[in-house]
Amino acid sequence: MNTKKWGKVVCFLLVELLLLFISIIIYRYRMNSFYEAPIEAGLKWAHKPNYEYILSAENDSVSEEIVLDFPNIQSITINGTSKDVASDAMVNVIVTHVESATVVADVSKLVSKAFDGDGKNLKISFSDNELTSGSYLVRIMLQNPGDTKVSLLSNIKPGIVTSFNNSEDKLNVITKVRYGSVQMISGLFVIITILVMFFAGIVFLWVDLCDIKTLFPLLMIVLGITFQIVIPVGGVPDESWHIDTAYKYSNMMMGIDDSANPGTIMKRKCDVIQSDMLGNNVETNSYYQLMTGAFKRADNTELMEVGFTDTSNQVFGVMYFPMALGMTIGRLFGLSAIMVYVLGRLFAFFACAALMYLAIVLMPVGKNITALIAILPISLQQGGSASYDSMLIGAGAVFAAMVLRALSDDHKAGWWETTLFALTGLLIVTSKGGVYTPVILAGTYFFFFRGRLSGLRFKGNVWFWLSLVGALIVLCSVVFLVYKDAIFSYAGASATGYGEESYSVPYIISNPGWFIQVIGNTIMQKFDEYFLGFMGGYLGWLSIDLGMVYAIPMFLIALLMANVEDDSLTGFKREKVILIITMCCSIFLVLLGMFLADTAFGSDTVSGVQGRYFLPFATFLFLNLGNHMVSVSDKDVKKLWKIGAFVEAVAVLQVIVYAWE
């Protein structure tokens, strides 16, 4: 073996040893401090509105029988607020183990101490006798109430709630269960360490021998499996809704009829129970459910009808096809609920990865930057989730590939290119309220009409203008037809805003100065938040913050990869200007859409915008950063991949720390 090869082997070994050392330091000193902390299972709907159940003199008690399938239960928590509290008003909570009829907790507290006007947690501890899994009856009574009113946070748990107030209602007032210890899931950290070391090892050993296109499939397989553990089921925004929507399409594949009652679907009872036990967040309980339920056989497979939120009105149903297919296969093989969800997520991820790979293969330029976008933590999180973002991100990359091919000199698109362009453009333009329409319009211009502008002959070309206007009308008509209900809703709202909960189009027209100020405030105050979200510095429900320490190095690597020799968009000044303008228009539409849909009236910044919303045109964004002043050689880009792989590996290890602490 020559000196050069020995150098590569030594570099590989040093990096692997360094990653192993970092993981040991994290395990021994960062995570050791909370290993004895209990695992937390959030039973309330995190990040979504919950219900309220009112206790008063007229309705002074509530009882709930619930199955808590957790080991070594240490405590339960009840959330509530109070008003008009009598000085001697008490709240009494009695918890009884149903099978043995044993009272395991009997706690009384002043209402003023247990609940206050701002919301407070009443924690019922079982420190004297940790409880095993089983059915428990929780009774909450208001004593000496007077005018006291207590509002208990509640939601629906159709799988684990047996009865509520001795009826078949499925209302639940328990918001959190603590059980076991984080030490029980520590084995997952070892698995993640092995996977990220394998990922880094692939890059350091092989990137010098082949291009990123060759390595990309293997890298995505390793990272796809890794992120199924790193961001577990339920840890992605709105994922519970997306899972149920995919379940609807899975039922169609299996010939199960959901049409009896609108707003409901048929699910296996074990899947309903699993959904009830998963928090709408990244929490330690989700990791425990994954670890203990992955290789179980399904039980309670009889179908039951449950309500659900259908998100397929936001996109074409085909966007959920990979997730639905994976879930269908899992159900047919009798896999456990958690594995049905994970298999669906894996199918969605590999569909996203396949589209990204197709884009990289077909792109004349931008291969390295597109591959880097694919391995960003935010792309891996969304691509490996139940969200339609998996298909949207992949479709965005393929659409970019078709546009870049059209920009090549003397390129004439074949029928298959036109088909790919049309299909991906249609999927993108009908997603997220049509906010990507400007970018799709720019791509349409480049793909179909740009070649006709040579020599400015288009000035007298009537057919050219008719075709261009026709394409614009068709795209806008598609967006209007898909989102007409929302458009009419926002357009018909009040122009004054008085009494409204959110803003409206008439209000913006009547107050343009205020709207411009809100947009300006949003950009100034939240740019760093959007930047972090776009680069993967924010994960989960924006609860995992990797910070600028991760985002800035990855951004600099991306900036350099946009200037790789023979892989950058050099020249094309007019086309870059058009892309910049249309991307700015799409960003504005994202802000406008969330201003109307998610921003409370009176707020001086737009709410609900996340950096991941800009991923579908990320390739265009970064390629526009290429310029003639920077040139990265093929040899140097391989060094960039090594640096990026190391940064990515360390970041993944840090995600677990932030998720578990």
Side-chain angles (χ1 to χ4, degrees):
M1 187 179 292
N2 60 36
T3 304
K4 189 175 181 180
K5 290 184 177 180
W6 269 114
K8 291 179 181 179
V9 172
V10 170
C11 181
F12 160 76
L13 292 175
L14 287 175
V15 168
E16 295 293 272
L17 287 173
L18 182 56
L19 285 174
L20 180 62
F21 176 74
I22 291 172
S23 65
I24 292 172
I25 293 297
I26 291 173
Y27 186 92
R28 181 66 182 85
Y29 297 103
R30 289 288 305 278
M31 304 180 78
N32 189 56
S33 61
F34 52 82
Y35 266 162
E36 298 306 317
I39 295 173
E40 294 191 353
L43 298 188
K44 70 176 181 180
W45 292 331
H47 310 288
K48 299 296 179 184
N50 288 264
Y51 304 140
E52 287 186 345
Y53 186 87
I54 308 298
L55 290 178
S56 63
E58 294 75 25
N59 179 38
D60 62 0
S61 67
V62 59
S63 63
E64 173 188 344
E65 185 176 340
I66 185 171
V67 177
L68 300 177
D69 190 12
F70 305 109
N72 307 118
I73 302 172
Q74 300 174 22
S75 68
I76 62 173
T77 299
I78 300 165
N79 284 59
T81 60
S82 61
K83 64 179 181 178
D84 303 326
V85 180
S87 60
D88 59 345
M90 302 284 291
V91 60
N92 175 237
V93 181
I94 299 175
V95 182
T96 305
H97 184 255
V98 174
E99 286 84 354
S100 64
T102 303
V103 175
V104 295
D106 187 343
V107 176
S108 294
K109 284 189 176 183
L110 287 169
V111 172
S112 58
K113 298 290 186 182
F115 306 111
D116 58 24
D118 296 327
K120 197 171 183 179
N121 302 334
L122 176 58
K123 182 179 176 182
I124 312 300
S125 298
F126 312 114
S127 54
D128 295 336
N129 184 25
E130 289 186 351
L131 308 182
T132 58
S133 61
S135 183
Y136 292 88
L137 179 65
V138 180
R139 190 176 183 195
I140 307 168
M141 292 165 287
L142 199 58
Q143 300 170 340
N144 309 319
D147 293 329
T148 303
K149 289 182 174 59
V150 174
S151 299
L152 300 178
L153 200 67
S154 61
N155 57 17
I156 303 294
K157 293 290 183 182
I160 61 176
V161 172
T162 307
S163 68
F164 189 82
N165 283 342
N166 298 316
S167 72
E168 294 184 357
D169 290 345
K170 302 296 184 178
L171 206 63
N172 165 60
V173 295
I174 298 172
T175 57
K176 184 178 291 186
V177 178
R178 293 179 177 86
Y179 65 94
S181 69
V182 175
Q183 184 73 41
M184 297 168 66
I185 58 175
S186 59
L188 292 178
F189 183 77
V190 177
I191 295 173
I192 291 170
T193 298
I194 294 171
L195 287 170
V196 297
M197 289 178 65
F198 184 42
F199 160 70
I202 293 171
V203 175
F204 274 82
L205 274 181
W206 296 102
V207 77
D208 288 322
L209 304 177
C210 54
D211 58 16
I212 194 61
K213 179 180 70 175
T214 306
L215 283 182
F216 185 79
L218 181 57
L219 294 181
M220 292 301 279
I221 290 172
V222 175
L223 290 173
I225 295 171
T226 303
F227 264 73
Q228 289 305 308
I229 305 172
V230 172
I231 305 294
V233 178
V236 176
D238 301 325
E239 187 164 26
S240 60
W241 293 356
H242 293 304
I243 286 174
D244 283 349
T245 301
Y247 211 106
K248 178 186 77 170
Y249 290 107
S250 174
N251 282 347
M252 292 181 183
M253 294 177 183
M254 298 181 69
I256 297 172
D257 186 11
D258 287 322
S259 61
N261 295 304
T264 66
I265 54 171
M266 303 299 294
K267 295 181 69 174
R268 298 188 307 176
K269 187 173 182 179
C270 60
D271 297 334
V272 177
I273 292 171
Q274 185 67 81
S275 295
D276 284 354
M277 294 172 64
L278 288 170
N280 207 28
N281 210 344
V282 178
E283 58 181 26
T284 46
N285 171 60
S286 300
Y287 295 94
Y288 178 81
Q289 296 298 321
L290 174 63
M291 189 179 72
T292 58
F295 301 106
K296 289 182 179 179
R297 296 292 297 175
D299 53 7
N300 294 325
T301 57
E302 65 272 17
L303 296 176
M304 62 181 292
E305 187 178 30
V306 293
F308 82 116
T309 300
D310 191 351
T311 57
S312 62
N313 59 345
Q314 302 174 11
V315 293
F316 285 144
V318 70
M319 301 289 265
Y320 287 103
F321 177 79
M323 177 75 185
L325 180 60
M327 293 173 69
T328 299
I329 293 172
R331 293 166 68 185
L332 290 173
F333 278 92
L335 301 183
S336 66
I338 195 71
M339 275 307 295
V340 165
Y341 294 157
V342 168
L343 191 61
R345 291 170 113 223
L346 281 172
F347 269 62
F349 176 79
F350 289 128
C352 177
L355 288 171
M356 298 291 282
Y357 180 65
L358 177 64
I360 291 169
V361 170
L362 296 177
M363 281 176 171
V365 296
K367 298 177 185 291
N368 281 283
I369 191 60
T370 302
L372 183 70
I373 291 167
I375 71 162
L376 289 176
I378 189 63
S379 299
L380 296 169
Q381 170 187 286
Q382 296 303 123
S385 73
S387 170
Y388 58 78
D389 281 359
S390 58
M391 290 290 286
L392 182 58
I393 294 168
V398 175
F399 181 83
M402 295 300 99
V403 172
L404 292 172
R405 288 173 70 88
L407 291 177
S408 302
D409 293 336
D410 300 323
H411 179 76
K412 292 184 179 180
W415 67 266
W416 63 270
E417 292 170 292
T418 303
T419 302
L420 276 177
F421 175 88
L423 288 176
T424 54
L426 185 62
L427 292 178
I428 297 167
V429 82
T430 54
S431 299
K432 295 191 184 296
V435 296
Y436 306 117
T437 302
V439 175
I440 301 304
L441 284 172
T444 303
Y445 162 70
F446 294 144
F447 194 85
F448 289 110
F449 303 109
R450 173 178 170 271
R452 302 187 183 185
L453 301 184
S454 57
L456 301 180
R457 292 192 299 271
F458 68 95
K459 285 185 176 181
N461 192 332
V462 176
W463 288 109
F464 167 78
W465 285 109
L466 287 176
S467 301
L468 185 62
V469 172
L472 179 62
I473 292 173
V474 169
L475 276 175
C476 292
S477 298
V478 168
V479 174
F480 175 78
L481 290 173
V482 173
Y483 298 106
K484 61 181 183 299
D485 292 339
I487 292 171
F488 286 135
S489 173
Y490 295 133
S494 169
T496 63
Y498 182 77
E500 301 282 343
E501 295 182 355
S502 59
Y503 292 101
S504 65
V505 173
Y507 183 87
I508 294 174
I509 295 173
S510 301
N511 302 272
W514 170 251
F515 175 65
I516 293 171
Q517 181 180 339
V518 170
I519 297 298
N521 289 343
T522 302
I523 294 172
M524 294 299 294
Q525 296 178 26
K526 296 189 175 183
F527 177 82
D528 57 338
E529 177 184 321
Y530 301 157
F531 175 75
L532 280 172
F534 179 70
M535 294 304 301
Y538 277 137
L539 296 175
W541 286 79
L542 304 185
S543 56
I544 299 174
D545 183 3
L546 295 175
M548 292 294 181
V549 173
Y550 165 79
I552 290 178
M554 291 303 284
F555 177 75
L556 293 176
I557 292 170
L559 192 63
L560 291 171
M561 284 191 178
N563 291 277
V564 176
E565 294 175 357
D566 300 324
D567 196 38
S568 60
L569 191 63
T570 55
F572 301 102
K573 292 182 179 179
R574 186 191 331 192
E575 288 77 5
K576 286 186 175 182
V577 170
I578 293 172
L579 280 173
I580 290 171
I581 292 172
T582 53
M583 285 189 290
C584 288
C585 288
S586 284
I587 292 170
F588 172 78
L589 289 178
V590 169
L591 294 172
L592 173 62
M594 298 310 294
F595 180 77
L596 295 171
D598 201 62
T599 303
F601 189 81
S603 175
D604 62 353
T605 58
V606 178
S607 302
V609 178
Q610 298 181 34
R612 63 186 173 90
Y613 294 166
F614 312 126
L615 286 174
F617 55 81
T619 296
F620 287 140
L621 193 153
F622 279 116
L623 284 177
N624 269 274
L625 299 178
N627 61 84
H628 67 278
M629 294 184 293
V630 180
S631 180
V632 178
S633 67
D634 184 62
K635 181 179 179 180
D636 289 336
V637 79
K638 296 181 184 299
K639 295 177 182 177
L640 290 176
W641 272 109
K642 293 177 181 179
I643 297 170
F646 180 78
V647 173
E648 178 96 351
V650 175
V652 171
L653 295 175
Q654 289 297 320
V655 170
I656 298 300
V657 176
Y658 297 135
W660 291 5
E661 66 180 356

